[in-house]
Amino acid sequence: MTTTLSSPTTTKTLEIRSSDDSWVPVCEESRLTPGRGVAALLPDGRQVAVFRGRSGRVYAIDNRDPFTGAQVLSRGLVGSVDGRPFVASPLLKQRFDLETGRCLDDDEVAVAVYPVRGK
Amino acid sequence: MSADMTAHTPTIVLVGHGMVGQRFLESLADRGVTERARIVVLCEEPRPAYDRVQLTSYFSGKTPDDLSMVEAGFMEKHGIELYVGDPAESVDREARTVTARSGQVFAYDSLVLATGSYPFVPPVPGKDARGCFVYRTIEDLLAIEEYAKTATTGAVVGGGLLGLEAAGALKGLGLDTHVVEFAPRLMPVQVDEGGGAALLRTIERMGLTVHTGTGTQEVVTADGAVTGMKLSDGSEVATDMVVFSAGVRPRDQLARDCGLTVGERGGIAVDELCRTSDPAVFAIGECALASDGRVYGLVAPGYEMAQTAAAVIADATDETVSGFTGADMSTKLKLLGVDVASFGDAHGTAEGCLDVVYSDSRSGVYKKLVISGEGVLLGGVLVGDAEQYGLLRPLTGTVPPVSPEQLVLPAGAGAPVALGPSSLPDDAVICSCHNVTKHAIGQCESLAEVKKCTKAGTGCGSCVKVIEKLLPAPKDKGLCGCFSYTRSELYEIARTLRITSFAALLDSHGRDAAKGGEGCEVCKPTVGSILASLNNGYILDGEQASLQDTNDHFLANMQRNGSYSVVPRIPGGEITPDKLIVIGEVARDFGLYTKITGGQRIDLFGARVDQLPAIWTRLVDAGFESGHAYGKSLRTVKSCVGQTWCRYGVQDSVKMAIQLELRYRGLRAPHKLKSAVSGCARECAEAQSKDFGIIATANGWNLYVGGNGGATPRHADLLAQDLSDAELVRLIDRFLMFYIRTADRLERTSTWLERLEGGLDHLKDVVVHDSLGLCDELEALMAAHVDDYQDEWAQTLDDPERLRRFVSFVNAPDAPDPSVRFVPERDQIKPDLTILTLGRTNSTLEGASR
C-alpha cells in the first residue's frame, strides 16, 4: 500500500501540554492520517482531538463538541477555508478553527486549544 | 369431512347481484368462505353483475360483456349457485327461507340483501306512456336505443349525475336533447351555484337545452305515446321520448314485507357490521340505511359494506372487521366529457368558512375551495378542470402548504401552481426544530448565514433542501468553496482524466485559493464517493480514509452521544432463525439497544468505537456482512413475502429483492438508495416510495423510479412495464449508474428526476432507448462494481493495520470512553445525556463500566 506517511526513521512522538504544564506523550506522529484526527486521554480526564494537516502540521483542540456535549470532534472531517484549517463536527457539522478553537458558525462558541509538539 | 358425520354446511343466500353483490362474493372467496359454505345468488336481471357506473359507455361501443364485473369461471371455480332472472319474492325469517320467483325455496343461515335501488319516477300524469323510460339497467338502455331510432327529440327529467349521463346518451343517439332540473342548477348535490353555472355553459355549448328551476308537470301524450312535456313554469317542450332520472330510492320492499326495520325515508336499517334488525340478515349497498343515518348511492361505500359483511359472516377476527361507519362522498367523474369533482364540505356548510373561487366562463372552468377561518381546507368543487382533485382531496382537513388561491389558479396565470417552497406563505414555518419562518430565511443570502443567524437547518436538518431553494440562486454553481465544478462535472473529470486521489483533483481542478489546501467537509466526502463509485476499492485505505464522513470511516452510524449503531445486512428482509438468534446474542452480550428498522432489518445501538471489531467478528463469523447503513449507498431492498406464500402474489418478490440487494450492495452514490419489491399490485412492500421500486405483474415486473418517503414524499414514476428478470436488472443497472453520474451531492433520485431537464421522458430516452449511446458504458460500470464487491467489515477484520483506528483513545487503547454511558429505558438502554452536559468527565476510568 502506498502511503503519504513519514518513514519510521523520521517519525516523532507527539506530546500535548496538560493543565499542570507537563508534556504528555500521545502517539507516534505516523499514527495520524493527514486530514483525520485521533482522540487522546489526558491524566486529568480531559479528552483532546489531535489532527494532522496535509502539510504535516499537527493541531490539538478539546475533543468535546460544545453543541452536543459528545466527545467526538476527533472524528470530524478536516478542511480549510482561506488557508485556515478547521474540523467539522461529525454530529451537526459546525466547524471549529484548528488554530484558535473558535467556532466558524457561531461567534459565541469556542473550544480549548492545546499546545502540541513533536519530539 | 368423513361421510358418516352429519355436519351442517352453512348456506349463505345473496339477494341481488349488482356491483356490490359481486364484491361481496369476491370477498367471501378471498376469505375462503366459499370452500366451507353453500352460496346461492338470486339475481333479478337477466345477466350477472356489470359495471353500472360505466353504463353510458355502452353507447360508445362497449358491449354488455365488456361491462361484466364477473371474471370468467368465477362462479364455477367457487361453486357459487347463481340464478339470473330469478329474483327473491319473499323471506320467511322464522323458517329462515327465501322463495324465488321460480318457486325455488332456499334455506339460509345468513341472508344478504343487496337489492340496490330503483329510479324515482315523479307521479305526473302520462308517466307510463309509451316513450317514457328510466335509466338504470342495460335493459333500459337497450329499450331507449330501440325507441330512439324513430325519435328526433328526447328529454331527461333530472339534471343530476345520472340525468346528465342519460342526456349524454340521448345526445349520442343523435337526438335533440333537453334536460329538466327542478333545482336552480345542474348537479345540485355535488356542485354549488358557480359550478352549476360553469357546467351549464359547457353543456349548452354542446347543443343541449337545459331548463333549470322548473319541474315536470305532465307528460303530454297522443295515442298513448309521448309527444311533449308541460313544465311547472308554464312552458312546453315537444319531445318524442322522456327519460326519468330524478334520483333513486332504496329497494327495501322485500325487507319491509318480512318485517325488518327500515328507515322513515326508506333504506334497510343496518348497524356498523351491516346487520339488519335480524342478526341473520345483512343489507349492503344502496338498499341499506347505514348506521350514520345515510343511504349511500356511490359504489365505493357499497364495496366497503360488502367487505364488512363478508368479514362478519366469515367470522373473521382480524382488523379487517372494521365496521362501516360512513364514507367519504368525494367524487370525480367525467360527464359529457366535462370533468366534475367535489370533495369534503363542497357546499361550505361549516360555520364561518370562506370560499376561494376561480371562474372562467370562456373555458367553462370553475374551481372553488372551502377554507375554514384558520385556513384549513374543508372541501371544494372543480368543474371543467379536475386535474388537482388528486392533490386537493388528501389535503382536505389540513392547512395547505401554499395559499388557496394558488391551488385554484391555472398554470401560467402569473403564480406558480406547483407546491414548491417559493409558493409558501411568508409565515410558513420552514425549520420546525427552531421555529424559523420563510420570512426570516428570506433575510439571508446563504445557507451558512441562515444557520448562523436563525439556527434553521441546524436541528434535524430535514429543511435544508427547502432552505436552499428559498435562497437566491447562487451565481456560483460550484460544489463548495474549494471547487467551482458541480458534483457531476467532477465525476466526469475524475472519470475521463482517471484521477484517483482527492489531492490530485483539488490541486488540478480546485479553485485557486483552495489548491494545496485541505478541502472541506463538503467536497471531501463527495469526491470520496465519486472515487469509490469509479474505483470500487476498499474505502478506508490511504488518502480515501481521510475523505469519508465519520460513519464511513468507522463503518457504523454515530449517534448523539458519540456511540455507534450497527446494522448487518439482511437481504430482502429474509433471515433464518439461527441468524436471528446470533443477532440477539450479540446484542445481549454487548448490551446493545435493538430496534427493527423500516427497511426490514435490525439496528443495534450503543456500541463504543472500540467494541465495533469484536461485535463484527461475531456477526461476520455467523455469515453477516455490512449493511452499509452508514454509507451514501444502497440500504435495503424491502420485499413482501410474494408468490411463495401469499395467495395474491404473482411473482417471487423475495427472491428478486435478495438478488437486487446483493447486486447493488456497497454501491456508492450521491445519496442513500432505497428499494423494494412487491409481489403483486397490492404493493405491500411500498415500492412506489423508493428510489427504485419493483411491482410484480402477471407478465413480469414493473419498474418505478424516483420515489421518496421522508420529509418530501414523492410517488415513483413508472419507467417500464412487464420486464423479464434480465431486462429488469439491466434497466436498473443503467438507471443507477446514470443517476450516480449526473446527480448533485446529496441529491436523492426524486429531486434529481424533478430537476433533470426533460424529466421522466428524457430518462426513458437515455436508459430505455439509449438515446445518448451511454448504456453499454453504464452497464460495464455496474458489472465492474458487482465483480469487485467485497464486504468492508470482513476486509477490515482481516487487517490489523485497519483495525488500529477502532480505539477510543490513541494513547490508551484499552480504555473505554467514559463519556459514553447509558441508563435503562423500557428494559433496554438509552444514552446518558446528563454526563454530556457536565463539560468533561473528571475520572479517567472509573466511570467506564456499563
Side-chain angles (χ1 to χ4, degrees):
Chain A
M1 144 181 147
T2 57
T3 170
T4 53
L5 301 185
S6 319
S7 65
T9 51
T10 61
T11 198
K12 300 173 189 165
T13 298
L14 292 176
E15 295 181 340
I16 289 170
R17 196 166 72 205
S18 187
S19 49
D20 60 359
D21 275 354
S22 66
W23 289 92
V24 178
V26 170
C27 64
E28 299 292 297
E29 193 176 348
S30 60
R31 271 296 293 276
L32 287 174
T33 304
R36 277 233 100 93
V38 295
L41 191 59
L42 297 185
D44 63 2
R46 284 186 295 177
Q47 297 188 21
V48 182
V50 187
F51 304 92
R52 191 161 83 149
R54 203 178 146 189
S55 65
R57 187 167 162 195
V58 177
Y59 308 89
I61 63 172
D62 204 88
N63 193 29
R64 182 174 179 272
D65 171 12
F67 291 94
T68 60
Q71 301 275 358
V72 294
L73 290 186
S74 59
R75 292 176 232 161
L77 277 174
V78 173
S80 66
V81 57
D82 302 329
R84 296 181 67 85
F86 65 81
V87 64
S89 167
L91 281 171
L92 297 175
K93 313 296 179 202
Q94 290 91 352
R95 297 166 301 162
F96 298 89
D97 189 305
L98 289 181
E99 289 177 20
T100 65
R102 276 192 35 230
C103 178
L104 302 181
D105 301 295
D106 189 335
D107 290 340
E108 288 166 18
V109 178
V111 296
V113 178
Y114 294 80
V116 59
R117 71 180 183 192
K119 201 177 174 190
Chain B
M1 191 178 302
S2 61
D4 57 353
M5 282 179 65
T6 51
H8 171 70
T9 302
T11 303
I12 301 164
V13 176
L14 169 67
V15 177
H17 192 225
M19 299 170 78
V20 171
Q22 174 61 20
R23 176 58 65 97
F24 170 75
L25 295 176
E26 287 166 9
S27 211
L28 285 184
D30 286 348
R31 292 176 176 280
V33 177
T34 44
E35 286 162 28
R36 55 178 194 259
R38 177 191 181 202
I39 294 167
V40 175
V41 185
L42 297 175
C43 172
E44 179 178 40
E45 290 188 50
R47 64 187 84 243
Y50 55 87
D51 190 346
R52 213 182 294 281
V53 176
Q54 298 295 324
L55 203 55
T56 310
S57 67
Y58 169 75
F59 290 117
S60 49
K62 287 267 175 77
T63 67
D65 279 352
D66 290 336
L67 291 174
S68 174
M69 300 289 288
V70 186
E71 207 174 294
F74 174 84
M75 298 295 167
E76 297 77 6
K77 181 177 169 194
H78 296 288
I80 296 170
E81 301 167 38
L82 170 66
Y83 301 94
V84 295
D86 193 8
E89 294 271 273
S90 64
V91 174
D92 181 340
R93 291 199 287 123
E94 212 152 293
R96 292 201 176 182
T97 58
V98 182
T99 306
R101 182 175 292 168
S102 61
Q104 294 188 92
V105 178
F106 300 96
Y108 66 81
D109 295 275
S110 300
L111 173 65
V112 178
L113 304 175
T115 44
S117 53
Y118 65 89
F120 169 68
V121 177
V124 293
K127 67 180 171 60
D128 298 318
R130 210 156 12 96
C132 283
F133 299 89
V134 294
Y135 192 84
R136 184 71 187 160
T137 66
I138 287 186
E139 274 54 47
D140 294 335
L141 260 57
L142 296 173
I144 289 170
E145 187 181 31
E146 185 60 32
Y147 200 84
K149 286 177 184 164
T150 59
T152 54
T153 309
V156 175
V157 177
L161 203 155
L162 275 173
L164 293 183
E165 290 262 357
L170 294 188
K171 179 84 179 122
L173 290 169
L175 304 188
D176 281 338
T177 305
H178 295 260
V179 177
V180 181
E181 168 56 49
F182 185 74
R185 61 175 182 272
L186 294 170
M187 291 189 72
V189 179
Q190 288 83 8
V191 308
D192 62 348
E193 206 182 322
L199 201 53
L200 175 67
R201 277 189 297 273
T202 308
I203 287 175
E204 284 184 335
R205 210 173 296 149
M206 292 175 190
L208 285 83
T209 311
V210 180
H211 313 260
T212 52
T214 183
T216 306
Q217 212 156 45
E218 184 185 339
V219 176
V220 183
T221 60
D223 299 330
V226 175
T227 57
M229 281 184 359
K230 276 189 184 157
L231 304 184
S232 57
D233 63 3
S235 62
E236 280 196 34
V237 175
T239 182
D240 303 316
M241 55 194 295
V242 175
V243 177
F244 290 102
S245 188
V248 293
R249 298 288 183 272
R251 284 188 74 184
D252 53 13
Q253 197 57 45
L254 195 63
R256 286 174 190 270
D257 292 347
C258 68
L260 290 172
T261 306
V262 295
E264 243 172 69
R265 284 181 289 169
I268 308 164
V270 296
D271 64 8
E272 290 181 8
L273 299 179
C274 297
R275 288 178 305 212
T276 66
S277 51
D278 177 343
V281 184
F282 296 75
I284 56 177
E286 293 182 327
C287 68
L289 176 65
S291 60
D292 64 347
R294 299 175 72 171
V295 172
Y296 287 92
L298 293 177
V299 71
Y303 282 172
E304 271 185 62
M305 289 190 236
Q307 284 161 336
T308 300
V312 173
I313 289 170
D315 207 13
T317 49
D318 54 29
E319 73 280 2
T320 54
V321 196
S322 52
F324 180 85
T325 55
D328 181 10
M329 292 297 282
S330 301
T331 35
K332 179 185 175 207
L333 33 99
K334 219 179 185 69
L335 286 173
L336 295 158
V338 186
D339 279 334
V340 179
S342 87
F343 57 96
D345 183 8
H347 293 287
T349 56
E351 203 174 311
C353 66
L354 308 163
D355 292 348
V356 177
V357 176
Y358 170 81
S359 175
D360 178 357
S361 343
R362 294 163 305 168
S363 56
V365 172
Y366 174 86
K367 300 178 187 180
K368 180 184 83 171
L369 299 183
V370 180
I371 310 283
S372 78
E374 292 78 43
V376 175
L377 177 63
L378 299 176
V381 175
L382 306 171
V383 174
D385 173 9
E387 182 75 27
Q388 286 140 307
Y389 174 77
L391 170 73
L392 291 172
R393 198 188 55 73
L395 282 175
T396 307
T398 70
V399 177
V402 305
S403 60
E405 61 269 27
Q406 280 166 330
L407 292 170
V408 293
L409 280 177
V417 173
L419 290 176
S422 58
S423 51
L424 292 171
D426 253 10
D427 58 356
V429 173
I430 306 294
C431 171
S432 48
C433 300
H434 294 285
N435 201 23
V436 181
T437 62
K438 178 185 169 190
H439 176 77
I441 287 165
Q443 309 300 307
C444 304
E445 293 285 323
S446 69
L447 182 60
E449 197 185 333
V450 169
K451 286 184 173 178
K452 198 164 171 173
C453 300
T454 69
K455 300 231 184 302
T458 60
C460 71
S462 67
C463 60
V464 169
K465 285 270 168 211
V466 178
I467 294 174
E468 282 172 345
K469 285 188 183 162
L470 285 173
L471 292 169
K475 290 177 198 85
D476 187 339
K477 285 165 78 179
L479 179 66
C480 59
C482 310
F483 286 99
S484 59
Y485 297 98
T486 64
R487 180 197 172 276
S488 56
E489 286 167 342
L490 288 176
Y491 182 98
E492 289 309 312
I493 290 166
R495 187 180 66 86
T496 50
L497 299 181
R498 297 179 194 281
I499 293 174
T500 55
S501 86
F502 175 78
L505 188 63
L506 181 65
D507 294 349
S508 62
H509 289 82
R511 295 178 198 265
D512 286 343
K515 282 179 182 167
E518 304 284 346
C520 73
E521 81 283 8
V522 171
C523 59
K524 284 169 91 171
T526 303
V527 172
S529 160
I530 290 172
L531 298 178
S533 13
L534 285 172
N535 301 321
N536 297 308
Y538 179 80
I539 65 162
L540 293 187
D541 281 344
E543 183 211 41
Q544 278 266 69
S546 72
L547 301 180
Q548 312 293 347
D549 274 324
T550 182
N551 287 354
D552 268 308
H553 192 62
F554 291 106
L555 305 171
N557 290 49
M558 183 184 276
Q559 303 298 328
R560 60 186 304 172
N561 66 339
S563 66
Y564 287 85
S565 74
V566 167
V567 186
R569 185 168 297 291
I570 300 177
E574 182 183 272
I575 185 166
T576 62
D578 283 343
K579 282 183 138 183
L580 262 182
I581 288 167
V582 169
I583 289 182
E585 287 174 343
V586 167
R588 187 191 57 207
D589 295 351
F590 289 88
L592 304 176
Y593 168 81
T594 55
K595 187 167 191 312
I596 311 284
T597 73
Q600 302 186 333
R601 44 195 195 173
I602 300 172
D603 211 339
L604 312 171
F605 290 79
R608 288 190 319 266
V609 64
D610 49 277
Q611 293 177 308
L612 290 172
I615 290 171
W616 271 104
T617 300
R618 295 266 298 270
L619 292 171
V620 168
D621 284 350
F624 286 105
E625 58 178 30
S626 168
H628 297 100
Y630 46 81
K632 304 294 179 218
S633 55
L634 180 80
R635 296 290 167 83
T636 69
V637 183
K638 190 174 164 179
S639 70
C640 69
V641 76
Q643 187 187 36
T644 320
W645 291 91
C646 175
R647 62 183 174 222
Y648 300 118
V650 292
Q651 303 284 350
D652 189 346
S653 47
V654 178
K655 183 179 172 191
M656 179 53 74
I658 293 172
Q659 184 189 337
L660 295 178
E661 185 159 341
L662 295 182
R663 183 170 182 83
Y664 303 122
R665 62 187 166 182
L667 179 68
R668 261 36 190 200
H671 210 313
K672 62 187 170 191
L673 288 165
K674 295 182 177 182
S675 178
V677 184
S678 278
C680 79
R682 283 173 178 76
E683 243 286 67
C684 295
E686 298 166 332
Q688 288 168 96
S689 65
K690 304 300 182 196
D691 294 286
F692 59 104
I694 296 97
I695 301 177
T697 71
N699 306 316
W701 308 97
N702 286 354
L703 174 59
Y704 294 80
V705 296
N708 198 8
T712 45
R714 182 182 189 276
H715 250 69
D717 292 314
L718 181 62
L719 185 66
Q721 301 183 68
D722 291 332
L723 302 165
S724 69
D725 288 12
E727 288 168 338
L728 174 69
V729 168
R730 192 168 64 214
L731 200 50
I732 300 174
D733 282 1
R734 295 172 175 183
F735 166 74
L736 289 178
M737 274 303 171
F738 186 55
Y739 160 67
I740 289 171
R741 191 158 170 169
T742 57
D744 270 344
R745 161 183 175 264
L746 297 187
E747 187 174 45
R748 292 287 294 270
T749 58
S750 58
T751 34
W752 168 72
L753 190 52
E754 297 267 314
R755 179 180 62 84
L756 199 65
E757 219 167 294
L760 182 67
D761 288 337
H762 176 64
L763 179 65
K764 279 185 187 169
D765 282 346
V766 174
V767 300
V768 180
H769 309 304
D770 199 8
S771 62
L772 299 182
L774 274 180
C775 288
D776 285 348
E777 192 184 332
L778 297 175
E779 286 174 35
L781 277 167
M782 189 62 84
H785 161 77
V786 174
D787 286 346
D788 293 347
Y789 169 81
Q790 288 191 58
D791 174 30
E792 288 156 7
W793 263 110
Q795 283 179 290
T796 303
L797 295 174
D798 280 346
D799 186 338
E801 188 56 37
R802 289 166 175 168
L803 282 173
R804 285 181 76 191
R805 76 177 55 152
F806 292 91
V807 293
S808 288
F809 302 111
V810 68
N811 61 340
D814 297 325
D817 181 348
S819 75
V820 177
R821 284 171 59 169
F822 301 91
V823 291
E825 174 91 337
R826 293 188 297 279
D827 299 331
Q828 296 202 64
I829 57 159
K830 70 171 182 182
D832 180 358
L833 298 179
T834 56
I835 198 168
L836 301 182
T837 62
L838 295 178
R840 60 173 150 138
T841 48
N842 285 317
S843 60
T844 46
L845 297 174
E846 72 181 48
S849 63
R850 38 184 300 170

